[in-house]
Amino acid sequence: MACTINVNLPESSYEIQIAPSTLDKLGEYMSKLELGRKVLIVSNPTVFELYGARVVNSLEANNYQVFTCILPDGESYKNLDSIKEIYDACIEHRLERSSTLVALGGGVIGDMTGFAAATYLRGINFIQAPTTLLAMVDSSIGGKTGVNHPKGKNLIGAFYQPKFVLIDPEVLQTLPEREFRAGMAEVIKYGVIWDAEFFAQMEASTHLDSIKTISPELLETIIKLSCQAKADVVGQDEREAGLRAILNYGHTIGHAVESLTGYTEVIHGEAVGIGMVAAGEMAAELGMWTKAETERQNHLIAKAGLLTHLPKINIDEIITAIQIDKKVRDGKVRFILPTQIGKVEITNEVPTDTIRSVLNNLQRM
Amino acid sequence: MACTINVNLPESSYEIQIAPSTLDKLGEYMSKLELGRKVLIVSNPTVFELYGARVVNSLEANNYQVFTCILPDGESYKNLDSIKEIYDACIEHRLERSSTLVALGGGVIGDMTGFAAATYLRGINFIQAPTTLLAMVDSSIGGKTGVNHPKGKNLIGAFYQPKFVLIDPEVLQTLPEREFRAGMAEVIKYGVIWDAEFFAQMEASTHLDSIKTISPELLETIIKLSCQAKADVVGQDEREAGLRAILNYGHTIGHAVESLTGYTEVIHGEAVGIGMVAAGEMAAELGMWTKAETERQNHLIAKAGLLTHLPKINIDEIITAIQIDKKVRDGKVRFILPTQIGKVEITNEVPTDTIRSVLNNLQRM
């Protein structure tokens, strides 16, 4: 069953198409967008081997001239050197302002492709074809693009919207289970920050931790409601002047955790899961929501097979790391904290002592 | 005499303030803009030694916390490595989304500072304090930011507007004469593409080739009318969907010339002068304007002390270089050609033979 979600923005609205077996239709969809003939597909070896031929064939059948740029897989390659490789491919194949970059892969590929598209010739077209759950429900939508700096995640980047997002849920069948579970962290996030009913639907499911045990109907609902939540929020605040910051729920501690573990020991979604547990505990500590709601959230995170305690990291290093995050304003660290399932508030009034004691407790668990 | 020009844009209008001896007032002007407390001044050793203290003092007197990032001087350093140095300084001093980068220098410093501001934390504030004629009348206005790629000029970049532009014409007294003449190329450009009366005013002046011999009144007029022309054009077409392309008059051949001579033998403004001569000759060759108008233009360029012939460069290399320029669309090179003094047209129908013969003639001169 196909479904289209509109991301409505002042200058650059676009469609998210969600439908199984549509990867072969990318060329057809693109034809409607009046783009130039040249297309550079950016992907990684694993994804390109699985799905590259289908995308290339679809584009060539629609008269596009197709080139490829295959980058090494993993968050540790999300840096300016990889961006340079994309630039070099763009120049080698003489991409023009009307040309298009297609991101075929997960969040790392999507973020880098978007940043290269934003900055090559001061901006060319780009399209997202996400192949991980996390990229489908989160990073492919909303125009946050960029790379990491050795000192912190996503410190370099730009707001730059794709022209189109194509989500083919069937490709999740080949996604490693760990990656699937990591994506579920962002899905649960939408339940906590935006949609209590969606949260309850996930609570009602016996399993949440594997693509094998989740019904196709629930999977479709998960992708659809997550994309809708993201589109709603971004549509109201594209550049994160206010509301959009709620999407960073779990990310303040999360970014520090993944950065301090080298982006591989704890991957992004797993770190966000831990960050949500930490934010929930802080909110309970500060009396912003009930202990019972903390437990509901933590239980759902655990049901998705995600960590709910803090791995062995020096707590002082976490405190330092969150102070150079993008979310700092006038030296104060900003947290998104829940007030009930489906609602959050933005605050920069969390005492460092509270942060420290919550983190200590999460490490002792 | 002070004068304010408004750049009116849909999302990010700003003021250009033109007034002698105002560098010391930067902090005061900034106070009205409600920016964060942290300011990073990006400059080069020559300019910073001359004017750094005045700017720092002015900012500190207005309660800003000031940091500096001094980059080596010259177009050859306008690359991603220099951008990384700015990022490192931003991170070292923990700049936040509300912080500001101040570009104190010429076009190279302005373009790089703007690009770093556009891409650090997905965009922080920036302010232009141009110290060369070229930067005052052209590069500091309009939001084109970026760096060069070994294969071509400004291939990497973003559209990103400053919050404010402060032009203190007095600083031109310390500008090397060669740099001043190079700036005059862009000034003459505005006469040819936009303002026939301004062109005639410059024709009426006995001297145009030195800051020492131009009257303060004419200098003020030059800066004011140039900024106004640029603001008019950019206000109508910020992202270069159409009209704005006329500002590239002389730049198609110009970019190739400066790139193929390593950015130092022929500097940007000088290359633009040669590019305007070439474009004028092409227009005459194609019967788009008169030979007499070509002569008027070339005479004014020569009066500004600029080259009107092509240095020793392989013509085939120029032809190849213009084909990877940003101005290419569907493989066709786009030229801006004059139809009369004060008016230009955009065309991608210049036969390669015409380009080649005009360039050959310009080299034999």
Side-chain angles (χ1 to χ4, degrees):
Chain A
M1 271 192 300
C3 140
T4 305
I5 289 170
N6 291 300
V7 184
N8 296 313
L9 299 170
E11 285 197 351
S12 46
S13 296
Y14 55 96
E15 282 186 358
I16 306 166
Q17 179 72 30
I18 307 169
S21 305
T22 43
L23 211 48
D24 310 280
K25 291 190 182 159
L26 182 60
E28 215 172 294
Y29 286 120
M30 277 178 62
S31 298
K32 296 172 197 155
L33 299 174
E34 297 186 17
L35 310 167
R37 291 290 98 195
K38 289 189 179 184
V39 177
L40 177 73
I41 300 171
V42 182
S43 191
N44 67 45
T46 316
V47 170
F48 195 76
E49 190 177 329
L50 286 165
Y51 302 109
R54 283 168 63 186
V55 175
V56 171
N57 291 341
S58 162
L59 291 171
E60 288 184 341
N62 285 274
N63 294 317
Y64 290 100
Q65 197 182 351
V66 184
F67 309 100
T68 56
C69 174
I70 308 300
L71 298 169
D73 197 2
E75 185 86 27
S76 60
Y77 295 99
K78 188 175 152 181
N79 55 36
L80 282 176
D81 290 333
S82 297
I83 297 294
K84 277 190 186 171
E85 287 195 41
I86 305 178
Y87 291 151
D88 288 344
C90 288
I91 289 167
E92 183 190 343
H93 303 301
R94 299 195 178 175
L95 263 63
E96 307 169 0
R97 281 191 175 151
S98 62
S99 303
T100 304
L101 302 190
V102 170
L104 177 67
V108 170
I109 288 292
D111 285 7
M112 293 202 293
T113 306
F115 186 62
T119 53
Y120 177 66
L121 307 185
R122 295 196 195 92
I124 65 173
N125 306 307
F126 98 106
I127 283 174
Q128 293 270 22
T131 60
T132 65
L133 179 60
L134 192 142
M136 289 177 185
V137 301
D138 182 21
S139 59
S140 70
I141 310 161
K144 280 196 179 178
T145 72
V147 295
N148 302 328
H149 184 278
K151 297 249 168 99
K153 195 172 154 73
N154 292 333
L155 290 182
I156 315 302
F159 285 99
Y160 197 71
Q161 301 293 339
K163 295 279 177 203
F164 180 63
V165 181
L166 180 62
I167 297 178
D168 179 348
E170 258 181 28
V171 306
L172 296 179
Q173 298 299 333
T174 57
L175 186 70
E177 294 277 352
R178 184 183 180 188
E179 296 268 342
F180 181 81
R181 291 192 298 268
M184 282 305 299
E186 300 281 359
V187 170
I188 292 169
K189 181 188 78 177
Y190 294 118
V192 179
I193 67 168
W194 196 249
D195 192 338
E197 205 177 307
F198 178 31
F199 188 94
Q201 275 182 281
M202 291 188 277
E203 277 184 316
S205 170
T206 319
H207 301 287
L208 265 192
D209 62 341
S210 162
I211 181 81
K212 311 281 183 251
T213 53
I214 290 180
S215 72
E217 294 72 33
L218 180 61
L219 182 64
E220 198 181 302
T221 301
I222 278 172
I223 296 174
K224 200 175 114 184
L225 293 183
S226 297
C227 289
Q228 189 64 60
K230 178 110 189 208
D232 286 347
V233 173
V234 170
Q236 286 178 51
D237 175 23
E238 183 182 359
R239 296 294 174 109
E240 200 163 316
L243 178 71
R244 184 169 177 162
I246 68 170
L247 296 173
N248 296 323
Y249 179 56
H251 285 61
T252 308
I253 297 296
H255 279 171
V257 168
E258 63 175 320
S259 150
L260 293 169
T261 55
Y263 298 113
T264 48
E265 190 187 325
V266 182
I267 62 177
H268 179 69
E270 293 168 343
V272 169
I274 295 166
M276 290 196 289
V277 173
E281 298 286 349
M282 285 178 210
E285 192 81 13
L286 298 170
M288 292 174 67
W289 76 344
T290 63
K291 194 71 196 161
E293 285 177 296
T294 316
E295 292 305 323
R296 277 181 70 193
Q297 176 194 258
N298 295 358
H299 183 251
L300 197 60
I301 292 169
K303 191 159 73 175
L306 292 158
L307 284 179
T308 55
H309 69 273
L310 194 64
K312 215 182 151 189
I313 307 170
N314 184 310
I315 305 284
D316 286 329
E317 285 184 31
I318 299 181
I319 306 277
T320 304
I322 60 179
Q323 278 158 355
I324 57 165
D325 198 90
K326 287 188 298 305
K327 289 170 276 296
V328 172
R329 197 178 162 95
D330 289 329
K332 287 190 168 181
V333 180
R334 196 173 56 175
F335 279 96
I336 319 301
L337 298 186
T339 53
Q340 62 183 71
I341 299 290
K343 281 216 171 78
V344 285
E345 272 180 14
I346 302 170
T347 174
N348 54 10
E349 300 296 344
V350 183
T352 306
D353 286 350
T354 307
I355 303 173
R356 197 180 294 276
S357 89
V358 163
L359 292 177
N360 269 319
N361 286 337
L362 286 183
Q363 205 158 46
R364 265 188 253 117
M365 276 167 71
Chain B
M1 271 189 300
C3 139
T4 305
I5 290 171
N6 291 299
V7 184
N8 296 311
L9 298 170
E11 286 197 350
S12 45
S13 297
Y14 54 96
E15 282 185 0
I16 306 166
Q17 179 72 30
I18 307 170
S21 305
T22 44
L23 212 48
D24 309 281
K25 292 190 181 159
L26 183 61
E28 213 172 295
Y29 285 120
M30 277 178 61
S31 296
K32 295 172 197 154
L33 298 173
E34 296 187 17
L35 310 167
R37 290 291 99 194
K38 289 189 178 184
V39 177
L40 178 74
I41 300 173
V42 182
S43 192
N44 67 44
T46 316
V47 171
F48 195 76
E49 191 176 331
L50 286 164
Y51 302 109
R54 282 169 63 184
V55 175
V56 171
N57 290 343
S58 162
L59 292 171
E60 287 182 344
N62 284 275
N63 294 318
Y64 290 100
Q65 197 182 352
V66 184
F67 310 99
T68 56
C69 174
I70 309 300
L71 297 170
D73 197 2
E75 184 86 26
S76 60
Y77 295 98
K78 188 175 152 181
N79 55 36
L80 283 176
D81 290 334
S82 297
I83 297 295
K84 275 189 189 173
E85 287 194 41
I86 305 178
Y87 290 151
D88 288 344
C90 289
I91 290 167
E92 184 191 342
H93 303 300
R94 298 194 181 176
L95 263 62
E96 307 169 0
R97 281 192 175 149
S98 62
S99 303
T100 304
L101 301 190
V102 170
L104 176 68
V108 170
I109 288 293
D111 285 7
M112 292 201 294
T113 306
F115 186 62
T119 53
Y120 178 65
L121 307 186
R122 297 198 193 92
I124 66 173
N125 306 307
F126 98 106
I127 281 173
Q128 292 270 21
T131 59
T132 66
L133 179 59
L134 192 142
M136 289 177 184
V137 301
D138 183 21
S139 60
S140 70
I141 310 161
K144 280 196 177 180
T145 72
V147 294
N148 302 328
H149 185 277
K151 297 249 168 98
K153 194 172 155 72
N154 293 333
L155 291 182
I156 315 303
F159 285 100
Y160 197 70
Q161 301 293 341
K163 295 280 177 201
F164 180 62
V165 181
L166 180 62
I167 297 178
D168 179 349
E170 259 181 27
V171 305
L172 295 179
Q173 298 298 335
T174 57
L175 187 69
E177 294 276 354
R178 184 183 180 188
E179 296 268 342
F180 181 81
R181 292 193 298 269
M184 282 305 297
E186 300 281 359
V187 170
I188 293 170
K189 181 189 79 177
Y190 294 117
V192 180
I193 67 169
W194 195 250
D195 193 337
E197 204 177 307
F198 178 30
F199 188 94
Q201 275 182 280
M202 290 188 278
E203 275 183 320
S205 170
T206 318
H207 300 286
L208 264 192
D209 61 342
S210 164
I211 183 81
K212 312 282 181 250
T213 52
I214 290 180
S215 72
E217 295 71 32
L218 181 61
L219 182 64
E220 197 179 305
T221 302
I222 278 172
I223 295 173
K224 201 175 115 184
L225 293 183
S226 297
C227 288
Q228 190 64 61
K230 179 111 188 207
D232 287 348
V233 172
V234 170
Q236 287 178 52
D237 176 23
E238 183 182 359
R239 297 293 173 109
E240 201 163 315
L243 177 71
R244 184 170 178 162
I246 69 170
L247 297 173
N248 296 323
Y249 179 56
H251 285 61
T252 308
I253 297 297
H255 278 172
V257 168
E258 63 175 322
S259 149
L260 293 169
T261 54
Y263 298 113
T264 48
E265 189 188 324
V266 183
I267 63 177
H268 180 70
E270 293 169 341
V272 169
I274 296 166
M276 289 196 290
V277 173
E281 299 287 348
M282 284 178 211
E285 191 81 12
L286 297 170
M288 292 174 67
W289 75 346
T290 64
K291 194 69 195 161
E293 285 178 297
T294 315
E295 291 308 322
R296 277 181 70 193
Q297 176 194 259
N298 295 358
H299 183 252
L300 198 61
I301 292 170
K303 191 161 72 175
L306 291 158
L307 283 180
T308 55
H309 70 272
L310 193 64
K312 215 182 149 190
I313 308 171
N314 185 310
I315 305 284
D316 285 329
E317 284 184 31
I318 298 181
I319 305 279
T320 304
I322 61 179
Q323 278 158 356
I324 57 166
D325 198 271
K326 286 189 297 303
K327 289 170 274 299
V328 172
R329 196 178 162 96
D330 289 330
K332 288 189 168 181
V333 181
R334 198 172 56 175
F335 279 96
I336 320 301
L337 297 186
T339 54
Q340 62 184 70
I341 299 290
K343 280 218 169 76
V344 285
E345 271 179 17
I346 303 171
T347 174
N348 54 11
E349 299 297 343
V350 183
T352 306
D353 286 351
T354 307
I355 304 172
R356 196 180 295 276
S357 88
V358 162
L359 293 177
N360 269 318
N361 286 339
L362 286 183
Q363 205 158 46
R364 262 187 255 117
M365 278 168 71

